[in-house]
Amino acid sequence: MRARITGIDHFVPEDKLTNYDLEQMVDTDDEWIYTRTGIRERRVLDKDKGVSYMAVKAAKKVLEQTDTHPDELDLIIMATTTFDMMFPSTATIVQNELNAKNCWGYDLVAGCSGFLFAISTASQFIETGKHKKVMVIGADKMSSIMNYKDRNTCIIFGDGAGAVLLEPSGEDGYGIEDYLNHIDGSGGQYLYMPGGGSLHPPTHETIDKGMHFVHQDGRTLFKNAVIEMTKTFRDIIEKNNLKTDDIKFFIPHQANARIITAVAEKLGLTEDQAIINIEKYGNTTAGTIPIAMSEVYQDGKLQKGDRIILSAFGTGFAWGSLLLRWSMD
Ligand code: UT7
């Protein structure tokens, strides 16, 4: 038995932060940002709301779309790096807001690969027959950990959420076919937020040093993202005896449009196959893949049986690719 997606939707806040807005905040300009990243604008959630607000909005839409009562949920996996607070888990906050009375849940931290790792994990609970309905959410409020004085990072990130419902596949066997995920902690120094955890609990000093912001070596990430996303894509199609032409859509993490086009070029994918929506939202970390997949579905581009590959690379390093056969009409 496979796990298949039976519902998908997303939520992004209304407020936009454009490249022109950023020109007023740091030494940058629209042309530099657009040509180097493909981003025009990002969404920013209100200061008084946490990531759970967006996660709940996306999950409620999925419950409605699939006509699922919250009590039917067995499990909620919340992929995020920007929890409402250190604890309790954001999954419990989402569960309470959804009023889902019969489930358990937890947060999964894997940065940009958060949704990929969460859906890979969730699929196991379905495949073993242990659970029937698992809500997987990828969401981040990156604006909450952004230094809007650092042009190396603040131009890239935004806020957003996407959610899917996973259920057992029918006779046809459509759904998640395989995944290849990896971590390599030697890459941790290239994208991290050192402050706020048990190693550097908040003090005036950690705040003064900006340790509660994202620190990134963009060039190193860029280079490794292209290499590893290309490799896991190739590995997963080879392992499953497929060819590039068999893949309808490559739906990658949206960190930089140039990363995606470089990977697509190496793989020989067409412009239509490689999905890029970063122009509108920037990098929403765990949100990018479910938001992009949700948009492709809403645009009516997906047909039952289509093969898709989801790929991500980010902090950790953590990366991977997941192969699925689309299972919704
Ligand atoms: O999703 C999580 C994983 N993160 C990523 O995958 C990020 C991947 N990396 C990137 O997207 C890109 O590396 C960035 C967009 C972050 C940076 O673009 P880049 O083309 O790699 O630029 P760079 O860091 O090599 O900097 C080139 C130049 C530098 O000036 P000099 O030293 O050549 O004079 C930077 O100071 O561009 C300068 N620069 C900027 N100029 C205008 C850096 N940021 C900006 C900016 N506006 N915002």
Side-chain angles (χ1 to χ4, degrees), residues 182-222:
H182 305 271
I183 56 169
D184 175 2
S186 67
Q189 59 192 298
Y190 302 114
L191 179 55
Y192 63 106
M193 190 183 94
S198 57
L199 182 61
H200 301 293
T203 60
H204 289 290
E205 194 191 350
T206 62
I207 302 285
D208 290 345
K209 285 184 172 166
M211 291 168 78
H212 302 83
F213 293 131
V214 172
H215 297 255
Q216 170 175 279
D217 173 346
R219 276 186 210 189
T220 304
L221 281 154
F222 192 111

mmCIF file of all heavy atoms in Angstrom, residues 182-222:
data_model
loop_
_atom_site.group_PDB
_atom_site.id
_atom_site.type_symbol
_atom_site.label_atom_id
_atom_site.label_comp_id
_atom_site.label_asym_id
_atom_site.label_seq_id
_atom_site.Cartn_x
_atom_site.Cartn_y
_atom_site.Cartn_z
ATOM 1 N N HIS A 182 18.988 12.834 2.381
ATOM 2 C CA HIS A 182 20.345 12.816 2.949
ATOM 3 C C HIS A 182 20.542 13.969 3.927
ATOM 4 O O HIS A 182 19.899 15.013 3.779
ATOM 5 C CB HIS A 182 21.390 13.025 1.844
ATOM 6 C CG HIS A 182 21.292 12.073 0.710
ATOM 7 N ND1 HIS A 182 21.944 10.863 0.693
ATOM 8 C CD2 HIS A 182 20.626 12.144 -0.464
ATOM 9 C CE1 HIS A 182 21.680 10.233 -0.441
ATOM 10 N NE2 HIS A 182 20.882 10.995 -1.152
ATOM 11 N N ILE A 183 21.483 13.771 4.868
ATOM 12 C CA ILE A 183 21.995 14.899 5.647
ATOM 13 C C ILE A 183 23.514 14.815 5.693
ATOM 14 O O ILE A 183 24.088 13.727 5.630
ATOM 15 C CB ILE A 183 21.431 14.979 7.100
ATOM 16 C CG1 ILE A 183 21.678 13.702 7.892
ATOM 17 C CG2 ILE A 183 19.968 15.367 7.110
ATOM 18 C CD1 ILE A 183 21.366 13.847 9.388
ATOM 19 N N ASP A 184 24.138 15.988 5.805
ATOM 20 C CA ASP A 184 25.590 16.062 5.970
ATOM 21 C C ASP A 184 25.890 17.278 6.837
ATOM 22 O O ASP A 184 25.912 18.418 6.356
ATOM 23 C CB ASP A 184 26.280 16.194 4.603
ATOM 24 C CG ASP A 184 27.789 16.390 4.752
ATOM 25 O OD1 ASP A 184 28.295 16.393 5.895
ATOM 26 O OD2 ASP A 184 28.459 16.561 3.725
ATOM 27 N N GLY A 185 26.096 17.003 8.128
ATOM 28 C CA GLY A 185 26.262 18.076 9.114
ATOM 29 C C GLY A 185 27.513 18.910 8.941
ATOM 30 O O GLY A 185 27.634 19.966 9.554
ATOM 31 N N SER A 186 28.439 18.466 8.089
ATOM 32 C CA SER A 186 29.630 19.296 7.872
ATOM 33 C C SER A 186 29.273 20.585 7.135
ATOM 34 O O SER A 186 30.054 21.525 7.081
ATOM 35 C CB SER A 186 30.707 18.519 7.103
ATOM 36 O OG SER A 186 30.263 18.267 5.792
ATOM 37 N N GLY A 187 28.036 20.639 6.599
ATOM 38 C CA GLY A 187 27.594 21.857 5.903
ATOM 39 C C GLY A 187 26.859 22.837 6.809
ATOM 40 O O GLY A 187 26.409 23.895 6.343
ATOM 41 N N GLY A 188 26.772 22.509 8.079
ATOM 42 C CA GLY A 188 25.989 23.339 9.008
ATOM 43 C C GLY A 188 26.451 24.779 9.115
ATOM 44 O O GLY A 188 25.657 25.694 9.380
ATOM 45 N N GLN A 189 27.736 24.981 8.884
ATOM 46 C CA GLN A 189 28.324 26.327 9.033
ATOM 47 C C GLN A 189 27.882 27.304 7.944
ATOM 48 O O GLN A 189 28.159 28.488 8.045
ATOM 49 C CB GLN A 189 29.844 26.184 9.001
ATOM 50 C CG GLN A 189 30.311 25.561 7.698
ATOM 51 C CD GLN A 189 31.759 25.123 7.711
ATOM 52 O OE1 GLN A 189 32.657 25.929 7.872
ATOM 53 N NE2 GLN A 189 31.973 23.821 7.553
ATOM 54 N N TYR A 190 27.223 26.809 6.901
ATOM 55 C CA TYR A 190 26.900 27.683 5.769
ATOM 56 C C TYR A 190 25.493 28.291 5.820
ATOM 57 O O TYR A 190 25.183 29.178 5.030
ATOM 58 C CB TYR A 190 27.092 26.932 4.440
ATOM 59 C CG TYR A 190 28.500 26.416 4.292
ATOM 60 C CD1 TYR A 190 28.769 25.051 4.282
ATOM 61 C CD2 TYR A 190 29.570 27.308 4.198
ATOM 62 C CE1 TYR A 190 30.072 24.582 4.167
ATOM 63 C CE2 TYR A 190 30.878 26.852 4.094
ATOM 64 C CZ TYR A 190 31.116 25.486 4.084
ATOM 65 O OH TYR A 190 32.409 25.031 3.980
ATOM 66 N N LEU A 191 24.637 27.761 6.686
ATOM 67 C CA LEU A 191 23.296 28.350 6.847
ATOM 68 C C LEU A 191 22.786 27.965 8.231
ATOM 69 O O LEU A 191 22.488 26.799 8.471
ATOM 70 C CB LEU A 191 22.341 27.823 5.757
ATOM 71 C CG LEU A 191 20.899 28.327 5.796
ATOM 72 C CD1 LEU A 191 20.815 29.842 5.790
ATOM 73 C CD2 LEU A 191 20.090 27.764 4.632
ATOM 74 N N TYR A 192 22.712 28.940 9.112
ATOM 75 C CA TYR A 192 22.356 28.609 10.488
ATOM 76 C C TYR A 192 21.867 29.846 11.234
ATOM 77 O O TYR A 192 22.080 30.979 10.806
ATOM 78 C CB TYR A 192 23.560 27.999 11.223
ATOM 79 C CG TYR A 192 24.739 28.945 11.352
ATOM 80 C CD1 TYR A 192 25.046 29.549 12.577
ATOM 81 C CD2 TYR A 192 25.544 29.250 10.267
ATOM 82 C CE1 TYR A 192 26.123 30.426 12.695
ATOM 83 C CE2 TYR A 192 26.619 30.127 10.372
ATOM 84 C CZ TYR A 192 26.904 30.706 11.591
ATOM 85 O OH TYR A 192 27.947 31.586 11.690
ATOM 86 N N MET A 193 21.204 29.562 12.359
ATOM 87 C CA MET A 193 20.802 30.627 13.275
ATOM 88 C C MET A 193 21.288 30.198 14.655
ATOM 89 O O MET A 193 20.690 29.324 15.280
ATOM 90 C CB MET A 193 19.278 30.789 13.273
ATOM 91 C CG MET A 193 18.827 32.032 14.017
ATOM 92 S SD MET A 193 17.036 32.161 14.089
ATOM 93 C CE MET A 193 16.730 31.392 15.671
ATOM 94 N N PRO A 194 22.399 30.754 15.131
ATOM 95 C CA PRO A 194 23.045 30.208 16.329
ATOM 96 C C PRO A 194 22.338 30.515 17.644
ATOM 97 O O PRO A 194 22.490 29.766 18.611
ATOM 98 C CB PRO A 194 24.427 30.867 16.313
ATOM 99 C CG PRO A 194 24.260 32.123 15.512
ATOM 100 C CD PRO A 194 23.178 31.846 14.512
ATOM 101 N N GLY A 195 21.586 31.594 17.709
ATOM 102 C CA GLY A 195 21.032 32.030 18.994
ATOM 103 C C GLY A 195 19.668 31.440 19.306
ATOM 104 O O GLY A 195 18.923 31.044 18.425
ATOM 105 N N GLY A 196 19.367 31.378 20.606
ATOM 106 C CA GLY A 196 18.017 31.000 21.035
ATOM 107 C C GLY A 196 17.888 29.562 21.481
ATOM 108 O O GLY A 196 16.929 29.196 22.160
ATOM 109 N N GLY A 197 18.873 28.706 21.110
ATOM 110 C CA GLY A 197 18.813 27.309 21.528
ATOM 111 C C GLY A 197 19.587 27.085 22.811
ATOM 112 O O GLY A 197 19.995 28.044 23.484
ATOM 113 N N SER A 198 19.840 25.810 23.158
ATOM 114 C CA SER A 198 20.500 25.520 24.437
ATOM 115 C C SER A 198 21.986 25.875 24.424
ATOM 116 O O SER A 198 22.602 26.068 25.472
ATOM 117 C CB SER A 198 20.318 24.042 24.794
ATOM 118 O OG SER A 198 20.814 23.226 23.757
ATOM 119 N N LEU A 199 22.573 25.964 23.231
ATOM 120 C CA LEU A 199 23.989 26.333 23.147
ATOM 121 C C LEU A 199 24.196 27.829 23.405
ATOM 122 O O LEU A 199 25.133 28.219 24.098
ATOM 123 C CB LEU A 199 24.538 25.956 21.759
ATOM 124 C CG LEU A 199 26.015 26.211 21.502
ATOM 125 C CD1 LEU A 199 26.888 25.412 22.467
ATOM 126 C CD2 LEU A 199 26.369 25.832 20.054
ATOM 127 N N HIS A 200 23.316 28.614 22.861
ATOM 128 C CA HIS A 200 23.395 30.067 23.044
ATOM 129 C C HIS A 200 22.026 30.608 23.434
ATOM 130 O O HIS A 200 21.341 31.232 22.611
ATOM 131 C CB HIS A 200 23.853 30.761 21.753
ATOM 132 C CG HIS A 200 25.176 30.310 21.258
ATOM 133 N ND1 HIS A 200 26.359 30.550 21.930
ATOM 134 C CD2 HIS A 200 25.526 29.622 20.138
ATOM 135 C CE1 HIS A 200 27.360 30.032 21.249
ATOM 136 N NE2 HIS A 200 26.888 29.457 20.169
ATOM 137 N N PRO A 201 21.603 30.356 24.681
ATOM 138 C CA PRO A 201 20.295 30.859 25.099
ATOM 139 C C PRO A 201 20.278 32.387 25.003
ATOM 140 O O PRO A 201 21.333 33.023 25.062
ATOM 141 C CB PRO A 201 20.181 30.416 26.568
ATOM 142 C CG PRO A 201 21.299 29.483 26.810
ATOM 143 C CD PRO A 201 22.335 29.695 25.762
ATOM 144 N N PRO A 202 19.090 32.971 24.847
ATOM 145 C CA PRO A 202 19.024 34.415 24.654
ATOM 146 C C PRO A 202 19.624 35.201 25.819
ATOM 147 O O PRO A 202 19.292 34.954 26.980
ATOM 148 C CB PRO A 202 17.526 34.702 24.557
ATOM 149 C CG PRO A 202 16.893 33.385 24.313
ATOM 150 C CD PRO A 202 17.788 32.332 24.845
ATOM 151 N N THR A 203 20.539 36.085 25.486
ATOM 152 C CA THR A 203 21.075 37.036 26.462
ATOM 153 C C THR A 203 21.170 38.360 25.713
ATOM 154 O O THR A 203 21.060 38.395 24.480
ATOM 155 C CB THR A 203 22.507 36.649 26.914
ATOM 156 O OG1 THR A 203 23.358 36.650 25.754
ATOM 157 C CG2 THR A 203 22.551 35.291 27.587
ATOM 158 N N HIS A 204 21.456 39.418 26.433
ATOM 159 C CA HIS A 204 21.642 40.706 25.750
ATOM 160 C C HIS A 204 22.769 40.589 24.729
ATOM 161 O O HIS A 204 22.721 41.161 23.649
ATOM 162 C CB HIS A 204 21.940 41.808 26.767
ATOM 163 C CG HIS A 204 20.736 42.159 27.580
ATOM 164 N ND1 HIS A 204 19.660 42.817 27.040
ATOM 165 C CD2 HIS A 204 20.423 41.935 28.882
ATOM 166 C CE1 HIS A 204 18.736 42.978 27.967
ATOM 167 N NE2 HIS A 204 19.170 42.438 29.088
ATOM 168 N N GLU A 205 23.789 39.787 25.125
ATOM 169 C CA GLU A 205 24.940 39.645 24.237
ATOM 170 C C GLU A 205 24.565 38.930 22.921
ATOM 171 O O GLU A 205 24.963 39.360 21.836
ATOM 172 C CB GLU A 205 26.041 38.852 24.956
ATOM 173 C CG GLU A 205 27.365 38.963 24.252
ATOM 174 C CD GLU A 205 28.392 37.969 24.791
ATOM 175 O OE1 GLU A 205 28.147 37.332 25.825
ATOM 176 O OE2 GLU A 205 29.440 37.828 24.130
ATOM 177 N N THR A 206 23.782 37.857 23.033
ATOM 178 C CA THR A 206 23.421 37.126 21.798
ATOM 179 C C THR A 206 22.569 38.018 20.896
ATOM 180 O O THR A 206 22.685 37.964 19.677
ATOM 181 C CB THR A 206 22.668 35.797 22.088
ATOM 182 O OG1 THR A 206 21.443 36.079 22.752
ATOM 183 C CG2 THR A 206 23.502 34.836 22.889
ATOM 184 N N ILE A 207 21.726 38.817 21.525
ATOM 185 C CA ILE A 207 20.894 39.739 20.722
ATOM 186 C C ILE A 207 21.789 40.784 20.051
ATOM 187 O O ILE A 207 21.678 41.026 18.845
ATOM 188 C CB ILE A 207 19.844 40.463 21.615
ATOM 189 C CG1 ILE A 207 18.934 39.449 22.324
ATOM 190 C CG2 ILE A 207 19.042 41.483 20.795
ATOM 191 C CD1 ILE A 207 17.894 38.793 21.476
ATOM 192 N N ASP A 208 22.690 41.375 20.850
ATOM 193 C CA ASP A 208 23.576 42.416 20.285
ATOM 194 C C ASP A 208 24.408 41.880 19.119
ATOM 195 O O ASP A 208 24.712 42.600 18.179
ATOM 196 C CB ASP A 208 24.529 42.966 21.364
ATOM 197 C CG ASP A 208 23.775 43.794 22.400
ATOM 198 O OD1 ASP A 208 22.622 44.163 22.110
ATOM 199 O OD2 ASP A 208 24.342 44.048 23.491
ATOM 200 N N LYS A 209 24.759 40.582 19.212
ATOM 201 C CA LYS A 209 25.587 39.989 18.146
ATOM 202 C C LYS A 209 24.751 39.512 16.947
ATOM 203 O O LYS A 209 25.284 38.914 16.016
ATOM 204 C CB LYS A 209 26.359 38.795 18.698
ATOM 205 C CG LYS A 209 27.529 39.186 19.577
ATOM 206 C CD LYS A 209 28.274 37.925 19.984
ATOM 207 C CE LYS A 209 29.564 38.254 20.695
ATOM 208 N NZ LYS A 209 30.113 37.067 21.365
ATOM 209 N N GLY A 210 23.439 39.714 17.018
ATOM 210 C CA GLY A 210 22.581 39.310 15.896
ATOM 211 C C GLY A 210 22.489 37.806 15.737
ATOM 212 O O GLY A 210 22.327 37.292 14.620
ATOM 213 N N MET A 211 22.595 37.073 16.856
ATOM 214 C CA MET A 211 22.609 35.611 16.753
ATOM 215 C C MET A 211 21.216 35.009 16.543
ATOM 216 O O MET A 211 21.089 33.798 16.351
ATOM 217 C CB MET A 211 23.280 35.005 17.994
ATOM 218 C CG MET A 211 24.776 35.313 18.019
ATOM 219 S SD MET A 211 25.567 34.950 19.587
ATOM 220 C CE MET A 211 25.738 33.183 19.507
ATOM 221 N N HIS A 212 20.189 35.852 16.573
ATOM 222 C CA HIS A 212 18.827 35.349 16.341
ATOM 223 C C HIS A 212 18.358 35.624 14.923
ATOM 224 O O HIS A 212 17.161 35.643 14.645
ATOM 225 C CB HIS A 212 17.862 35.947 17.385
ATOM 226 C CG HIS A 212 18.294 35.629 18.762
ATOM 227 N ND1 HIS A 212 19.253 36.375 19.414
ATOM 228 C CD2 HIS A 212 17.964 34.615 19.585
ATOM 229 C CE1 HIS A 212 19.483 35.828 20.592
ATOM 230 N NE2 HIS A 212 18.715 34.763 20.718
ATOM 231 N N PHE A 213 19.343 35.830 14.065
ATOM 232 C CA PHE A 213 19.042 36.021 12.650
ATOM 233 C C PHE A 213 19.654 34.887 11.833
ATOM 234 O O PHE A 213 20.568 34.196 12.293
ATOM 235 C CB PHE A 213 19.653 37.339 12.146
ATOM 236 C CG PHE A 213 19.050 38.578 12.732
ATOM 237 C CD1 PHE A 213 19.861 39.574 13.259
ATOM 238 C CD2 PHE A 213 17.674 38.767 12.739
ATOM 239 C CE1 PHE A 213 19.314 40.742 13.789
ATOM 240 C CE2 PHE A 213 17.113 39.926 13.273
ATOM 241 C CZ PHE A 213 17.937 40.916 13.797
ATOM 242 N N VAL A 214 19.173 34.762 10.605
ATOM 243 C CA VAL A 214 19.730 33.790 9.661
ATOM 244 C C VAL A 214 21.109 34.262 9.186
ATOM 245 O O VAL A 214 21.275 35.426 8.835
ATOM 246 C CB VAL A 214 18.800 33.659 8.432
ATOM 247 C CG1 VAL A 214 19.445 32.806 7.347
ATOM 248 C CG2 VAL A 214 17.444 33.103 8.832
ATOM 249 N N HIS A 215 22.071 33.332 9.211
ATOM 250 C CA HIS A 215 23.410 33.605 8.664
ATOM 251 C C HIS A 215 23.618 32.649 7.492
ATOM 252 O O HIS A 215 23.384 31.453 7.634
ATOM 253 C CB HIS A 215 24.494 33.373 9.725
ATOM 254 C CG HIS A 215 24.360 34.310 10.888
ATOM 255 N ND1 HIS A 215 25.187 35.388 11.075
ATOM 256 C CD2 HIS A 215 23.455 34.343 11.892
ATOM 257 C CE1 HIS A 215 24.804 36.053 12.169
ATOM 258 N NE2 HIS A 215 23.763 35.430 12.680
ATOM 259 N N GLN A 216 24.064 33.184 6.385
ATOM 260 C CA GLN A 216 24.139 32.341 5.188
ATOM 261 C C GLN A 216 25.350 32.664 4.322
ATOM 262 O O GLN A 216 25.647 33.827 4.079
ATOM 263 C CB GLN A 216 22.859 32.557 4.367
ATOM 264 C CG GLN A 216 22.888 31.949 2.984
ATOM 265 C CD GLN A 216 21.565 32.087 2.253
ATOM 266 O OE1 GLN A 216 20.653 31.302 2.482
ATOM 267 N NE2 GLN A 216 21.451 33.089 1.404
ATOM 268 N N ASP A 217 26.015 31.595 3.849
ATOM 269 C CA ASP A 217 27.032 31.737 2.813
ATOM 270 C C ASP A 217 26.364 31.292 1.509
ATOM 271 O O ASP A 217 26.324 30.102 1.179
ATOM 272 C CB ASP A 217 28.239 30.845 3.156
ATOM 273 C CG ASP A 217 29.273 30.804 2.034
ATOM 274 O OD1 ASP A 217 28.969 31.233 0.908
ATOM 275 O OD2 ASP A 217 30.390 30.333 2.291
ATOM 276 N N GLY A 218 25.790 32.265 0.835
ATOM 277 C CA GLY A 218 24.941 31.977 -0.326
ATOM 278 C C GLY A 218 25.635 31.215 -1.440
ATOM 279 O O GLY A 218 25.066 30.286 -2.016
ATOM 280 N N ARG A 219 26.895 31.590 -1.727
ATOM 281 C CA ARG A 219 27.593 30.951 -2.848
ATOM 282 C C ARG A 219 27.787 29.464 -2.619
ATOM 283 O O ARG A 219 27.610 28.659 -3.519
ATOM 284 C CB ARG A 219 28.965 31.590 -3.038
ATOM 285 C CG ARG A 219 28.901 32.836 -3.874
ATOM 286 C CD ARG A 219 30.296 33.333 -4.153
ATOM 287 N NE ARG A 219 30.252 34.777 -4.289
ATOM 288 C CZ ARG A 219 31.261 35.501 -4.710
ATOM 289 N NH1 ARG A 219 32.401 34.932 -4.998
ATOM 290 N NH2 ARG A 219 31.145 36.802 -4.826
ATOM 291 N N THR A 220 28.190 29.099 -1.387
ATOM 292 C CA THR A 220 28.424 27.670 -1.081
ATOM 293 C C THR A 220 27.120 26.888 -1.175
ATOM 294 O O THR A 220 27.081 25.774 -1.696
ATOM 295 C CB THR A 220 29.047 27.537 0.322
ATOM 296 O OG1 THR A 220 30.227 28.315 0.347
ATOM 297 C CG2 THR A 220 29.370 26.105 0.665
ATOM 298 N N LEU A 221 26.054 27.489 -0.671
ATOM 299 C CA LEU A 221 24.760 26.808 -0.743
ATOM 300 C C LEU A 221 24.337 26.625 -2.190
ATOM 301 O O LEU A 221 23.866 25.554 -2.586
ATOM 302 C CB LEU A 221 23.694 27.621 -0.001
ATOM 303 C CG LEU A 221 23.763 27.425 1.500
ATOM 304 C CD1 LEU A 221 23.199 28.624 2.212
ATOM 305 C CD2 LEU A 221 23.002 26.175 1.925
ATOM 306 N N PHE A 222 24.500 27.670 -2.940
ATOM 307 C CA PHE A 222 24.108 27.646 -4.356
ATOM 308 C C PHE A 222 24.798 26.482 -5.066
ATOM 309 O O PHE A 222 24.158 25.648 -5.711
ATOM 310 C CB PHE A 222 24.498 28.987 -4.997
ATOM 311 C CG PHE A 222 23.918 29.218 -6.350
ATOM 312 C CD1 PHE A 222 22.941 30.184 -6.550
ATOM 313 C CD2 PHE A 222 24.349 28.477 -7.447
ATOM 314 C CE1 PHE A 222 22.397 30.405 -7.806
ATOM 315 C CE2 PHE A 222 23.807 28.693 -8.704
ATOM 316 C CZ PHE A 222 22.841 29.657 -8.884
#
